[in-house]
Amino acid sequence: NAGVMQNPRHLVRRRGQEARLRCSPMKGHSHVYWYRQLPEEGLKFMVYLQKENIIDESGMPKERFSAEFPKEGPSILRIQQVVRGDSAAYFCASSPPGGGISNQPQHFGDGTRLSIL
Amino acid sequence: AQSVSQHNHHVILSEAASLELGCNYSYGGTVNLFWYVQYPGQHLQLLLKYFSGDPLVKGIKGFEAEFIKSKFSFNLRKPSVQWSDTAEYFCAVNPLVKAAGNKLTFGGGTRVLVKP
């Protein structure tokens, strides 16, 4: 009974490179959420996706960040031209379908810790 | 936009002491409320949740929380902590608005250190 799977667990990039973070939701879950946890801070919502749709991206930085959740395969959070300030833990969570409102808590992955050199 | 405030950033206490962590939120509508725990280097785990009904909810590991609607609060308690409760604790709110889905707004977290 696999939970939310994120990979890689740790990712090191140099400034200017691209970072791709992957998230496979729990079986049966079709809603994916990405959160960012900066050092010494709480989690901040970034984006909410369903299959092939971005539902809410109000927490995404306007530039360099994008997310997708294709019909097949994992959800991808992509950061282009990374900068030092992108260093953080990125957590993915999933929840079951429910018309957008579901009395089901989100299940979190182990996160990807991104370090920018 | 809604916000969640956790009053204490750091709490240090001894084993067997009682713990109470404060959480207040600002949202006028109906909400689901959660407490998550994050042990060092691990992902968030759900401690307990409130959706409706009895405002006193019991979770795992002896934790409980009380929802006081008039105070917009959802404080976490444990009567007697153990060293293994050393972790960071996050309060989170999901407003029951369709567009929000299950999007969570988190508090800043409280780091709890239990001294043996």
Side-chain angles (χ1 to χ4, degrees):
Chain A
N1 183 22
V4 178
M5 304 298 291
Q6 287 188 250
N7 67 83
R9 290 290 305 275
H10 300 274
L11 181 61
V12 180
R13 286 286 179 267
R14 295 188 182 280
R15 282 179 292 172
Q17 292 184 320
E18 178 181 285
R20 281 183 179 239
L21 289 63
R22 295 174 185 78
C23 170
S24 297
M26 282 182 70
K27 187 176 181 181
H29 288 192
S30 58
H31 297 197
V32 166
Y33 304 78
W34 285 93
Y35 296 85
R36 177 166 65 175
Q37 185 179 30
L38 293 168
E40 305 298 319
E41 293 187 18
L43 281 78
K44 302 283 192 226
F45 168 79
M46 298 182 76
V47 62
Y48 161 37
L49 309 107
Q50 296 177 21
K51 285 285 187 181
E52 299 185 281
N53 282 306
I54 296 175
I55 306 303
D56 179 353
E57 57 182 346
S58 58
M60 287 280 269
K62 295 286 185 253
E63 298 176 343
R64 303 187 296 107
F65 284 71
S66 61
E68 62 177 11
F69 188 16
K71 187 175 180 181
E72 302 291 337
S75 175
I76 306 286
L77 179 67
R78 182 181 177 207
I79 311 172
Q80 295 178 288
Q81 299 174 333
V82 295
V83 301
R84 287 249 170 88
D86 297 332
S87 295
Y90 292 82
F91 288 94
C92 172
S94 71
S95 66
I101 297 176
S102 170
N103 280 347
Q104 295 287 340
Q106 294 179 23
H107 295 263
F108 283 80
D110 286 339
T112 294
R113 281 156 180 81
L114 176 64
S115 298
I116 309 302
L117 302 179
Chain B
Q2 68 271 15
S3 64
V4 181
S5 298
Q6 292 183 238
H7 314 301
N8 307 98
H9 294 293
H10 294 90
V11 171
I12 301 173
L13 60 169
S14 299
E15 276 192 313
S18 65
L19 173 70
E20 180 159 1
L21 303 181
C23 173
N24 285 88
Y25 64 94
S26 63
Y27 182 72
T30 304
V31 294
N32 287 341
L33 297 156
F34 305 85
W35 276 97
Y36 283 87
V37 61
Q38 187 179 28
Y39 298 103
Q42 296 188 25
H43 63 274
L44 275 75
Q45 300 174 38
L46 182 69
L47 269 181
L48 47 77
K49 61 186 183 290
Y50 173 80
F51 291 151
S52 63
D54 188 345
L56 183 62
V57 292
K58 296 195 183 295
I60 60 171
K61 306 188 182 192
F63 285 90
E64 64 179 29
E66 184 175 13
F67 171 48
I68 303 179
K69 189 174 182 179
S70 61
K71 295 184 177 180
F72 298 90
S73 70
F74 189 55
N75 293 353
L76 180 72
R77 297 193 291 255
K78 184 169 183 178
S80 177
V81 295
Q82 301 172 308
W83 175 78
S84 58
D85 293 322
T86 294
E88 190 158 17
Y89 294 81
F90 294 95
C91 180
V93 171
N94 167 225
L96 292 183
V97 174
K98 187 171 183 179
N102 285 356
K103 165 184 170 182
L104 293 173
T105 299
F106 283 86
T110 299
R111 289 195 172 181
V112 174
L113 173 63
V114 180
K115 296 187 294 184

